[in-house]
Amino acid sequence: MPKAYSYLRFSTPEQLKGDSMNRQSTLAVDYCRQHGLVLDTELTYQDLGVSAFRGRNAETGRLADFLEAVEVGLIPQGSYLLVESLDRVSRQAARRALKVLESICDAGATVVTLLDGKQYTRESLDTDPMSLIMSILIFIRANEESTMKSRRLSAAWSSKRASAGTKALTAMGPHWLKLNPQGTWEVLEGPAAAVRHMFARAAAGASYSTIAAELNQQGLKPPRADSWSVWSVSKTIKSESTYGAYTPHLKEYREGKQVRVPLDTIPDYYPAIISKDLFDQVRAQNQGHVKGTKGGRRSAVNIFGSLSVCAACGSAMSIYTLNQK
């Protein structure tokens, strides 16, 4: 009996919590039972949380793996690829989406859309004009839906940014602040005091490792960790949110990869807990310093850095720490 392979895809990880995966899996099992196909459970192809709007699933995802498996003979000619609908295959512009469908069919596989039971083969695309036209129309609709969703999200973000002076763009913020029910930021004095201590000591010339040790000795714990480290101190000191600025980012796809694109910085978005002058002073003093360096020279990598802690202060040990006096 011919073999069938299920291809499951949804674009956001949140859909994994819903019924999308179970629904697509059930449709595949039922179709095989009704049409005498053997569903291969070892080579089920899944792109979970992968977008078909940008073509990532067809370029680098499991759909690309399926096509390669057919081309090299791992999956025999005449096998079936079961998808819920054509928009699971691609949501790119119709011309590009059709190429994805054609490449699978040309490799010798039959694509089945489970919602309507339609089969797409090399022969049907060549000899059945309606089959070709319907696939193009479906791809056009899917692309229009995704394009509209993308535009609405962009417009919503622009609207949020326009009201950034009076309303928070997101509930996420630095650990020394919290968003109150009124939608404004409130300073948490304990964590804020630790940050002010960092800047005061850094301005006086103290190293990041020294600052981390002092904070740990004072029992001031960082968020989501047991102790301060050179890295966490450095990250905090380099954060523009300490003087109230915020730089939002947009996600864009470039050459098939998702990148974060910075937008214009919003001054005074957060309550400032230090002055901009102090931030600039400390940044100038530490220009050229990165984690694991001293005096501009890269030090040796400490393979025990995340395993060893100082018995006196509890901070993580590092080569950089050992070099400090």
Side-chain angles (χ1 to χ4, degrees):
M1 288 192 296
K3 276 195 171 185
Y5 301 83
S6 177
Y7 174 65
L8 311 178
R9 188 197 66 76
F10 41 80
S11 56
T12 63
E14 288 76 12
Q15 289 175 287
L16 180 59
K17 302 174 184 177
D19 191 50
S20 183
M21 186 171 182
N22 289 335
R23 184 183 67 251
Q24 294 180 53
S25 299
T26 300
L27 286 171
V29 171
D30 291 344
Y31 186 88
C32 290
R33 185 184 301 116
Q34 294 167 10
H35 293 82
L37 302 177
V38 176
L39 182 61
D40 193 310
T41 57
E42 295 183 1
L43 289 179
T44 296
Y45 291 85
Q46 302 178 357
D47 278 323
L48 311 184
V50 177
S51 173
F53 181 40
R54 310 294 179 177
R56 292 173 58 208
N57 62 322
E59 294 173 359
T60 59
R62 296 291 283 154
L63 187 60
D65 294 340
F66 174 82
L67 179 58
E68 183 179 1
V70 176
E71 291 174 340
V72 301
L74 178 62
I75 292 177
Q77 297 276 315
S79 295
Y80 290 73
L81 178 65
L82 308 181
V83 299
E84 185 179 35
S85 59
L86 283 184
D87 62 9
R88 297 294 178 185
V89 174
S90 180
R91 282 181 170 266
Q92 298 181 89
R95 180 180 62 83
R96 295 191 177 189
L98 183 60
K99 285 184 177 180
V100 176
L101 176 62
E102 288 177 332
S103 64
I104 297 172
C105 294
D106 285 342
T110 297
V111 176
V112 175
T113 50
L114 297 170
L115 285 181
D116 56 11
K118 179 71 176 177
Q119 294 186 6
Y120 295 89
T121 66
R122 179 171 47 207
E123 292 74 19
S124 70
L125 292 176
D126 286 341
T127 61
D128 182 1
M130 288 306 299
S131 179
L132 179 62
I133 292 172
M134 285 304 299
S135 66
I136 294 174
L137 291 176
I138 292 171
F139 286 136
I140 291 174
R141 183 203 64 201
N143 179 256
E144 287 178 344
E145 289 175 351
S146 292
T147 300
M148 181 61 69
K149 180 179 179 181
S150 178
R151 288 174 180 171
R152 286 174 178 169
L153 289 173
S154 179
W157 180 254
S158 298
S159 177
K160 279 186 175 183
R161 194 182 187 285
S163 61
T166 57
K167 189 176 181 180
L169 295 173
T170 171
M172 297 184 64
H175 70 271
W176 55 88
L177 300 175
K178 75 172 182 178
L179 192 64
N180 61 35
Q182 291 72 39
T184 56
W185 296 103
E186 179 181 336
V187 177
L188 302 175
E189 287 304 329
V195 176
R196 294 187 185 107
H197 177 85
M198 291 182 198
F199 276 91
R201 297 291 290 124
S207 67
Y208 290 166
S209 58
T210 298
I211 296 171
E214 291 173 351
L215 292 173
N216 291 330
Q217 287 173 343
Q218 295 173 26
L220 300 174
K221 290 189 176 183
R224 298 179 295 277
D226 292 329
S227 61
W228 289 97
S229 65
V230 171
W231 179 84
S232 56
V233 169
S234 173
K235 182 179 179 182
T236 302
I237 285 179
K238 293 175 182 177
S239 174
E240 62 184 5
S241 57
T242 53
Y243 64 88
Y246 171 58
T247 302
H249 290 71
L250 279 181
K251 292 181 180 179
E252 291 186 358
Y253 288 85
R254 297 178 180 177
E255 299 179 354
K257 295 182 179 179
Q258 188 182 81
V259 295
R260 295 178 75 245
V261 180
L263 304 178
D264 293 337
T265 297
I266 304 174
D268 303 320
Y269 175 77
Y270 296 116
I273 60 172
I274 64 161
S275 69
K276 177 67 161 56
D277 289 341
L278 178 58
F279 179 88
D280 290 339
Q281 175 190 343
V282 171
R283 181 174 61 177
Q285 289 178 196
N286 291 281
Q287 196 72 32
H289 285 261
V290 295
K291 183 184 177 183
T293 65
K294 181 182 178 183
R297 295 182 300 167
R298 184 170 296 280
S299 65
V301 175
N302 179 17
I303 63 173
F304 300 106
S306 61
L307 302 177
S308 304
V309 295
C310 176
C313 67
S315 61
M317 300 286 283
S318 67
I319 297 295
Y320 183 71
T321 302
L322 297 176
N323 284 337
Q324 304 301 303
K325 295 183 179 179

